[in-house]
Amino acid sequence: MEQETLKIEGTVENIIYRNENNGYTVLDVDAGGELITAVGELGDIEAGEVLLMEGNYVTHAKFGVQFAVEYCERKLPSTSVNICKYLSSGAVKGIGPALARRIVDVFGEKTLEIMEKEPSRLMEIKGISPKKCESITNEVQKIFNLRHLMIYLSKYGLKASVAMRAYQQWGHQAIEIIKNNPYSLCTPYIGLSFKKAEEVAGEMEETVDPHKRIEAGFVYLLNENANAGHSCIPIDAFEKLACRYLKISQSDFYDVYNYMTEEQKIFEYIKNDRGFVYLDDYYYAESYIAGRIGVMQAFSSPEDFDYEKLIDIEEEQNGIHYETLQRKAIATALSRGIMILTGGPGTGKTTTLNAIISLYEKKGESVMLAAPTGRAAKRMSDLTGRDAKTIHRLLEVEFDAGGKLKFKHNENDPLECDVVVIDEMSMVDVLLFESFLRALRLNCRLVMVGDGDQLPSVGAGNLLKSLIDSKCIPVIELKEIFRQAERSCIVTNAHKIVSGQMPDLTQKNNDFFFFKRSQPDMAINLLVDLVKTRLPKAYGYSPTDDIQVISPSRKGTTGVIELNKALQEQLNPKNKLKQEVKSAVYTFREGDKIMQTKNNYDIVWSKDGEQGAGIYNGDIGKILSISKQRMEVVISFDGRTAVYTFDMINQLELAYAVTVHKSQGSEFEAVIMPILGGFEKLYYRNLLYTAVTRAKKLLIIIGSEEVIARMVANNKRTNRYTCLTAMLRDEMKQHE
């Protein structure tokens, strides 16, 4: 039975907590003498305001009964007492309690009306100079503009967070822009769905230009296409999609399409006589990448130098013999402006890379190391013995006035180094790579390392594959499996999988084990027993630090959600001494292994007295403490301690089990992987290959031989629409 919506009117007494980014607020409301705790996306509400709230009472596991607000109508305080309380709260920058009392003493109940409509009268107040008056007026205008916008959008059931993003984007013009074109709310930054924008448009008195609807629909569909990993889409496919989704004719499609291309709101690129359509960001990114690589190639004429002699000396000093392709890779890296080093596990990529870095340093050149994720950067540091940063940390994240992400380092402030080495290039998307290239000096050399058989980036494009396929950049692929690696069944089976052969599932005394199970419950019971008891007892592994469960899917009986719940119950069970907090999916408790699921550039962390900002998608940590009073969760990410407020916990997931995609860029002492079928779209060769190569010393697969065979046979790689390869080739022709 559906719960009846309740209406409550009251005065805000106290702001307990507010997230400035999304407007999520916890506050006390005096509702006719009863003090109620209300929660929701309420925006910039301050003490003294009168609220008409619609919602329902909910019982929080830790905080008891709360009123969850779905809709909120704000009324400005009308009594002198409440107006004074409102101004004293810090609602208007520049007005403290003492000044608030003086203003209200003069203007009484008309204070707010005068501040909005006759702000110059504030100079009647002792202590308010013309300059002070101007400053307060500007702040008041911002408050009232945002307030009007929130009230306006609330009529259409839109939350405060939407209003806040719209105000950040358009300022005082926001209402007029939305009235003129409600579909403008669909922009990625504001994030309203096209369906919801349709509803808003349908409720408006104003008639919306149908062409503006189609334009917004095009942008929405192209953004959805990018979210699926494509940097562009064939025009013929886009036409069919748009006509079906927007219910428009072919004629209407081309009317708007031609207009948007002429105005450069979208872009067209012809590849093999077939047109592809781009959003501007992705077109500019791939175009810039192609152009910049062309320039880097032009600056990289081989030097007249005997690199073989240098490599001989390096061999002698380190007692290492480099095989032919390794020597070629080292010489190429030293002599060319840009190169790609690729190869599967056990082929000596790390040994080769260490030689490249060492020789650059001996030449007196400064080398920076980077990787797409925090764990990949840490692994790179461990393997090279040198500091490695995430690409985001290397470029130094900043935000512009509108709250949009940008990087400190760019063409105007390039990185101070001679060489940059990027590992795990398969995880880098085209937008990030464009930003990275813009931060390189023209004479800076670039060495890219990656495995082209791994899964592509979460973001749009298929960068590493496109670069390799273009044949415009020197690519050295290491193929020889070294003797030490040959003894590893993990390595040999990984190479079998990538070449389309069935892995050897019969070994019982090495580092690769297969347990046949056909029933999910039996597979889960075995998996939990291995993690909790058998592997720690046999190998001394920590169930949380050394062992990682990896699943192809997120949902289903052997997906990561259910596996995490089963593993949490055994590894970190409910305990009266352990505090808990609930998210939409999980109950988190002190001691849990967790993962950050989105890039958050604002989170401040500390480590050994050092402070920094940014916790990134895929970072794994441990919950140290949960405070009900402070509404905070303290988490350690490899020694970096960060504080999360309760409204941020939906950025977290339990990480006893993670998806293959989330595991990319990381290595674990032991990996356990259930493969029982059920999600056939996810079961393909390079996903299995990626999972297998996450294990350093031990890999255990539980499940079905038949499903593994289907995965190996399914070489339908993650196909993505991109024109970067063609752009690179066109660019190289211009430099010939």
Side-chain angles (χ1 to χ4, degrees):
M1 186 176 173
E2 193 172 327
Q3 198 173 2
E4 185 181 355
T5 301
L6 303 175
K7 294 183 179 181
I8 293 176
E9 184 170 347
T11 304
V12 179
E13 290 294 313
N14 180 40
I15 307 297
I16 300 170
Y17 169 78
R18 174 159 49 228
N19 183 304
E20 299 294 344
N21 293 320
N22 60 19
Y24 180 86
T25 308
V26 181
L27 45 78
D28 287 334
V29 178
D30 181 354
E34 181 186 1
L35 200 63
I36 294 169
T37 301
V39 299
E41 291 184 4
L42 303 172
D44 63 341
I45 286 170
E46 298 290 353
E49 292 192 57
V50 177
L51 305 181
L52 178 61
M53 303 177 294
E54 294 182 7
N56 293 106
Y57 284 105
V58 295
T59 303
H60 193 282
K62 292 296 179 184
F63 308 120
V65 177
Q66 298 175 329
F67 190 75
V69 181
E70 291 298 321
Y71 170 80
C72 179
E73 185 178 321
R74 304 167 66 175
K75 298 181 179 179
L76 285 172
S78 56
T79 67
S80 296
V81 171
N82 283 338
I83 292 170
C84 190
K85 184 185 290 185
Y86 172 71
L87 294 177
S88 298
S89 70
V92 180
K93 189 177 177 182
I95 300 180
L99 184 55
R101 282 194 297 274
R102 292 206 302 275
I103 295 171
V104 176
D105 285 346
V106 173
F107 299 128
E109 294 180 356
K110 291 192 173 183
T111 295
L112 295 179
E113 184 183 344
I114 287 169
M115 289 178 72
E116 182 183 12
K117 296 176 181 176
E118 300 176 86
S120 61
R121 290 190 61 190
L122 288 170
M123 286 187 289
E124 297 174 20
I125 308 299
K126 185 180 178 182
I128 297 184
S129 65
K131 188 175 180 181
K132 178 84 169 176
C133 180
E134 185 182 0
S135 172
I136 292 173
T137 300
N138 289 335
E139 289 299 317
V140 167
Q141 287 304 314
K142 288 179 186 176
I143 291 167
F144 277 97
N145 285 335
L146 177 58
R147 180 184 300 275
H148 293 322
L149 177 61
M150 291 175 76
I151 292 169
Y152 175 75
L153 292 180
S154 69
K155 295 189 299 184
Y156 305 107
L158 301 182
K159 292 184 176 180
S161 56
V162 176
M164 292 174 73
R165 291 194 294 273
Y167 188 77
Q168 286 175 331
Q169 184 86 340
W170 301 308
H172 69 277
Q173 297 179 306
I175 291 178
E176 196 58 38
I177 288 171
I178 295 165
K179 280 183 177 178
N180 188 43
N181 182 13
Y183 296 97
S184 57
L185 291 166
C186 295
T187 62
Y189 183 71
I190 296 171
L192 203 68
S193 72
F194 187 82
K195 184 179 178 183
K196 186 62 183 176
E198 288 266 56
E199 292 176 10
V200 173
E203 292 176 27
M204 279 186 169
E205 295 177 5
E206 298 84 359
T207 303
V208 181
D209 182 345
H211 272 212
K212 287 180 178 176
R213 172 185 177 268
I214 298 172
E215 280 186 51
F218 281 10
V219 173
Y220 175 78
L221 290 172
L222 289 172
N223 272 308
E224 289 296 292
N225 183 64
N227 291 336
H230 309 285
S231 57
C232 57
I233 184 173
I235 294 170
D236 53 334
F238 184 56
E239 178 201 321
K240 290 176 184 175
L241 173 66
C243 288
R244 185 175 66 251
Y245 187 84
L246 300 172
K247 297 180 174 59
I248 57 175
S249 67
Q250 188 183 56
S251 173
D252 286 340
F253 173 87
Y254 280 105
D255 280 351
V256 176
Y257 180 83
N258 292 333
Y259 165 76
M260 291 184 74
T261 52
E262 286 169 11
E263 293 296 315
Q264 296 194 334
K265 294 182 176 183
I266 57 176
F267 290 82
E268 184 177 301
Y269 184 84
I270 306 299
K271 180 177 74 171
N272 299 329
D273 298 324
R274 191 183 191 189
F276 289 78
V277 58
Y278 280 85
L279 285 172
D280 53 358
D281 283 353
Y282 297 98
Y283 179 79
Y284 289 134
E286 293 199 345
S287 300
Y288 181 84
I289 291 167
R292 182 60 197 273
I293 285 175
V295 172
M296 293 174 79
Q297 289 280 60
F299 273 82
S300 62
S301 302
E303 299 174 16
D304 186 15
F305 191 86
D306 186 1
Y307 293 103
E308 295 298 321
K309 191 173 180 180
L310 271 182
I311 297 168
D312 289 341
I313 295 169
E314 190 72 12
E315 280 187 331
E316 189 176 338
Q317 288 181 347
N318 293 296
I320 295 173
H321 172 70
Y322 303 114
E323 58 97 14
T324 303
L325 281 174
Q326 286 181 304
R327 295 178 72 92
K328 185 178 179 183
I330 296 165
T332 303
L334 294 173
S335 64
R336 304 295 295 271
I338 184 170
M339 75 160 290
I340 295 171
L341 175 64
T342 185
T347 56
K349 288 200 302 291
T350 300
T351 303
T352 307
L353 184 58
N354 281 331
I356 291 169
I357 297 167
S358 173
L359 287 169
Y360 267 129
E361 290 174 342
K362 285 173 180 175
K363 288 176 67 181
E365 301 199 32
S366 59
V367 183
M368 287 184 172
L369 310 183
T373 67
R375 292 189 69 85
K378 185 178 183 300
R379 177 171 164 265
M380 194 181 190
S381 292
D382 294 341
L383 293 172
T384 62
R386 296 164 175 85
D387 182 46
K389 296 178 179 178
T390 64
I391 298 172
H392 289 86
R393 281 192 68 198
L394 193 72
L395 300 180
E396 298 184 49
V397 172
E398 295 181 338
F399 294 89
D400 63 20
K404 293 181 180 177
L405 180 148
K406 64 175 187 176
F407 294 108
K408 176 180 180 292
H409 293 291
N410 51 36
E411 298 98 328
N412 301 317
D413 184 12
L415 295 167
E416 291 292 330
C417 63
D418 302 304
V419 185
V420 181
V421 180
I422 300 181
D423 198 10
E424 297 289 351
M425 272 297 297
S426 61
M427 300 177 68
V428 181
D429 62 56
V430 293
L431 294 183
L432 181 58
F433 194 57
E434 177 204 10
S435 296
F436 169 76
L437 288 179
R438 290 185 183 277
L440 293 187
R441 296 185 304 193
L442 280 178
N443 60 348
C444 183
R445 299 176 187 269
L446 175 60
V447 178
M448 296 174 282
V449 186
D451 185 345
D453 292 310
Q454 302 274 5
L455 294 169
S457 60
V458 174
N462 202 343
L463 179 67
L464 181 61
K465 186 176 184 298
S466 295
L467 295 176
I468 293 171
D469 289 351
S470 74
K471 302 188 187 305
C472 298
I473 299 171
V475 178
I476 308 299
E477 182 182 3
L478 303 179
K479 297 177 180 179
E480 182 180 326
I481 304 174
F482 287 85
R483 284 178 189 166
Q484 186 178 355
E486 278 183 337
R487 293 194 289 270
S488 165
C489 288
I490 294 172
V491 172
T492 55
N493 278 329
H495 284 272
K496 282 183 177 179
I497 290 165
V498 84
S499 63
Q501 301 175 52
M502 190 70 177
D504 183 357
L505 305 178
T506 62
Q507 290 283 345
K508 298 295 182 187
N509 59 351
N510 206 294
D511 56 2
F512 189 111
F513 295 87
F514 173 72
F515 291 93
K516 188 173 182 176
R517 296 290 188 275
S518 55
Q519 298 301 317
D521 57 341
M522 295 176 67
I524 292 171
N525 289 339
L526 172 60
L527 184 150
V528 171
D529 187 39
L530 286 164
V531 175
K532 183 182 179 182
T533 307
R534 291 168 64 171
L535 295 189
K537 185 177 178 181
Y539 297 92
Y541 288 152
S542 161
T544 53
D545 296 342
D546 299 321
I547 303 170
Q548 185 61 60
V549 176
I550 297 177
S551 174
S553 62
R554 178 171 164 77
K555 298 179 180 178
T557 51
T558 57
V560 297
I561 294 175
E562 294 304 318
L563 288 173
N564 269 317
K565 291 176 179 179
L567 287 162
Q568 182 193 44
E569 187 179 332
Q570 293 298 315
L571 300 178
N572 192 28
K574 193 175 181 66
N575 187 314
K576 289 181 180 179
L577 299 176
K578 291 184 176 182
Q579 295 290 323
E580 295 180 350
V581 60
K582 289 185 177 180
S583 74
V585 179
Y586 295 113
T587 297
F588 298 105
R589 62 178 63 102
E590 292 170 338
D592 271 334
K593 180 179 181 180
I594 56 86
M595 173 181 281
Q596 175 76 9
T597 61
K598 61 183 287 188
N599 290 335
N600 189 322
Y601 307 96
D602 297 325
I603 298 178
V604 177
W605 53 260
S606 59
K607 181 180 181 181
D608 301 329
E610 176 196 358
Q611 275 205 331
I615 302 293
Y616 303 110
N617 186 3
D619 285 355
I620 291 176
K622 181 180 180 180
I623 296 178
L624 301 180
S625 65
I626 298 172
S627 170
K628 174 183 175 181
Q629 288 74 26
R630 293 190 300 274
M631 302 181 72
E632 290 177 349
V633 182
V634 180
I635 305 172
S636 173
F637 294 92
D638 290 323
R640 293 173 297 149
T641 302
V643 178
Y644 283 61
T645 51
F646 277 12
D647 62 296
M648 295 163 60
I649 62 169
N650 285 327
Q651 299 178 24
L652 303 173
E653 290 185 350
L654 291 177
Y656 302 103
V658 301
T659 62
V660 179
H661 285 84
K662 290 291 187 185
S663 75
Q664 200 169 354
S666 301
E667 279 190 337
F668 310 94
E669 294 295 300
V671 168
I672 303 175
M673 186 180 184
I675 302 178
L676 280 86
F679 290 86
E680 302 303 319
K681 287 184 178 179
L682 298 173
Y683 283 53
Y684 46 89
R685 187 186 299 173
N686 62 334
L687 184 132
L688 178 61
Y689 173 76
T690 300
V692 168
T693 54
R694 298 309 90 203
K696 288 167 68 175
K697 294 180 180 178
L698 181 66
L699 175 72
I700 297 173
I701 296 178
I702 303 170
S704 162
E705 292 169 290
E706 290 77 18
V707 178
I708 294 171
R710 286 205 301 273
M711 289 183 80
V712 172
N714 183 6
N715 196 29
K716 187 182 178 182
R717 298 172 65 93
T718 309
N719 292 319
R720 293 186 167 184
Y721 292 125
T722 169
C723 296
L724 180 55
T725 295
M727 288 181 181
L728 281 160
R729 288 172 178 169
D730 288 345
E731 184 67 30
M732 293 305 136
K733 286 176 184 175
Q734 295 179 31
H735 288 274
E736 288 177 355

